[in-house]
Amino acid sequence: MNDENTTTTDALAAEGVSIWLDDLSRERIRSGGLNTLIAERGVVGITTNPTIFAAAVSKGTAYDEQIAALAGTSATADDVVFALTTADVAAACDILRPVYDRTGGYDGWVSIEVGAASAHDAAATVAEAQHLSAAIGRPNAFIKIPATVEGLDAIAETIGAGISVNVTLIFSLDRYRGVIDAYLTGLERAAAAGIDLTGIRSVASFFVSRVDTEVDRRLDAIGTEEARALRSQAGVANARLAYEVFEEAFASDRARRLLDQDANPQRPLWASTGVKDPALPDTFYVVELVAPGVVNTMPEKTLDAVFDHAVLRGDTVSGTAGAAREHLDALAALGISYDDVTATLEDEGVAKFVASGEELTATIATALQASRRGATTR
């Protein structure tokens, strides 16, 4: 229970959950809306993606001036995407810098993704991560790298260069173990190169609601009462098992050696926490995934719901691995393959990643052409 002076988001933070907003726009920055969410909703970080930026550019006029200026140059649509998104992320980093400083770098981060075309190209991913990091020039900018097989090598190399990484599109526990290994490998390389490990941070973004969407689709196809009873539980079970992996990995001798050199653990981040099934409570993927040391990145609609009416029950993750494992076993007994589900979701995730990048580029190309046409008629 919260006392009358404590908001639900305050109580969530007190349980050890960092609240990050899964949204960013220039209008939100300029209007002071982001500052309000930090002050009143307990937001201590931001994640972005190309779809978010495409929506921001297509609404309102906040980007018109910069697009018009770039339209007068030889800039391509890709150049403009880079300029607009890095400018927004740098501005958001500045707004969140007091949080970063107050928490010693634990929170106060803003994430930006590498380009979609790099998802299966480690060398291109590393080059773009370095380009983005240099352009933003802020210590509290996370570079998002997808957890593809090729991405693992890119993560290790990027961390080894001292660049902080938000690893995105994680669905399976085995891939998550690979992500942790890549992070530790990167830290070992950074240490060997004489880079101060205290400034290197990482989060591992484990997607939640998408798991339920795919598993529930398969359960509905089975259609039995037993199958229906298992709906809307796989995403939370998977995330709870991921937390067990996190705890075990960072208690290992290998991790301890790095932590003793003032390295930071790679924190689990719950992504895709907006409810897609209207039968579920709109705070479901927040309330059911409360644990110390995690991040929950929420769309504003979910954040508002949590603030307004979430009923917290304390830590809902620790000690739940056994039951979570039993749930996945029950799915397997019905013929639902965990490996196939997570492989499908990764393939779909990368495809959506590519599509959203193309959407953003197309949106910018249209705006750029319109600005150039307007300039020729004046």
Side-chain angles (χ1 to χ4, degrees):
M1 294 290 290
N2 305 336
D3 66 46
E4 60 182 12
N5 297 315
T6 302
T7 67
T8 309
T9 49
D10 288 339
L12 186 62
E15 293 288 349
V17 178
S18 293
I19 299 169
W20 291 9
L21 179 70
D22 192 26
D23 192 38
L24 183 64
S25 69
R26 192 159 297 183
E27 175 60 28
R28 190 186 291 280
I29 292 167
R30 289 179 174 175
S31 68
L34 177 56
N35 300 75
T36 299
L37 291 177
I38 293 168
E40 299 180 3
R41 294 287 194 269
V43 169
V44 291
I46 293 172
T47 50
T48 68
N49 59 52
T51 298
I52 287 171
F53 280 123
V57 171
S58 63
K59 297 173 184 175
T61 59
Y63 297 91
D64 289 359
E65 183 178 351
Q66 188 177 6
I67 290 173
L70 291 166
T73 72
S74 60
T76 65
D78 286 336
D79 295 334
V80 177
V81 166
F82 188 88
L84 267 58
T85 57
T86 54
D88 278 6
V89 168
C93 283
D94 290 342
I95 291 171
L96 280 157
R97 183 61 185 267
V99 175
Y100 174 86
D101 291 338
R102 185 180 73 246
T103 63
Y106 187 75
D107 280 313
W109 293 87
V110 185
S111 298
I112 185 170
E113 286 186 351
V114 296
S118 305
H120 292 296
D121 186 333
T125 295
V126 172
E128 185 165 4
Q130 292 172 337
H131 190 200
L132 286 166
S133 180
I136 295 167
R138 306 295 192 276
N140 54 329
F142 267 138
I143 308 304
K144 289 176 77 173
I145 297 176
T148 59
V149 171
E150 299 84 356
L152 298 180
D153 290 337
I155 292 158
E157 189 168 343
T158 303
I159 291 290
I163 297 171
S164 295
V165 173
N166 174 344
V167 184
T168 189
L169 288 179
I170 307 173
F171 298 98
S172 80
L173 298 171
D174 281 346
R175 183 57 53 81
Y176 181 35
R177 293 184 184 96
V179 166
I180 295 173
D181 177 72
Y183 176 59
L184 296 178
T185 298
L187 289 177
E188 290 161 348
R189 292 177 184 175
I195 297 173
D196 181 7
L197 301 186
T198 59
I200 303 174
R201 297 273 182 171
S202 184
V203 292
S205 297
F206 221 87
F207 281 56
V208 186
S209 68
R210 290 191 196 180
V211 174
D212 277 339
T213 299
E214 179 62 23
V215 170
D216 289 356
R217 182 185 66 79
R218 299 183 186 208
L219 288 169
D220 290 344
I222 294 170
T224 64
E225 184 175 344
E226 181 183 12
R228 286 192 293 270
L230 296 176
R231 293 185 88 261
S232 304
Q233 300 172 59
V236 166
N238 198 37
R240 288 172 173 172
L241 288 170
Y243 191 76
E244 180 187 53
V245 171
F246 158 71
E247 290 187 306
E248 291 175 351
F250 286 95
S252 69
D253 290 342
R254 182 189 184 194
R256 291 307 318 174
R257 285 192 294 271
L258 289 161
L259 297 177
D260 287 344
Q261 298 176 64
D262 296 325
N264 301 291
Q266 182 187 55
R267 301 167 66 196
L269 180 151
W270 311 136
S272 182
T273 57
V275 169
K276 295 176 174 61
D277 182 348
L280 289 175
D282 52 4
T283 62
F284 182 73
Y285 295 114
V286 177
V287 171
E288 298 300 327
L289 291 173
V290 174
V294 304
V295 177
N296 195 308
T297 184
M298 313 175 198
E300 188 171 11
K301 183 178 178 181
T302 302
L303 174 62
D304 288 344
V306 170
F307 182 84
D308 180 67
H309 55 259
V311 179
L312 302 179
R313 308 192 311 275
D315 184 342
T316 50
V317 174
S318 301
T320 63
R325 204 168 284 109
E326 288 176 3
H327 180 77
L328 296 188
D329 289 344
L331 293 174
L334 290 179
I336 295 178
S337 166
Y338 176 84
D339 290 343
D340 187 66
V341 166
T342 55
T344 296
L345 288 169
E346 180 178 317
D347 289 345
E348 289 179 351
V350 172
K352 289 176 181 177
F353 179 49
V354 171
S356 63
E358 292 173 348
E359 176 192 6
L360 174 57
T361 302
T363 299
I364 293 298
T366 299
L368 196 59
Q369 290 167 4
S371 184
R372 284 170 173 158
R373 282 198 302 269
T376 61
T377 58
R378 285 195 294 271

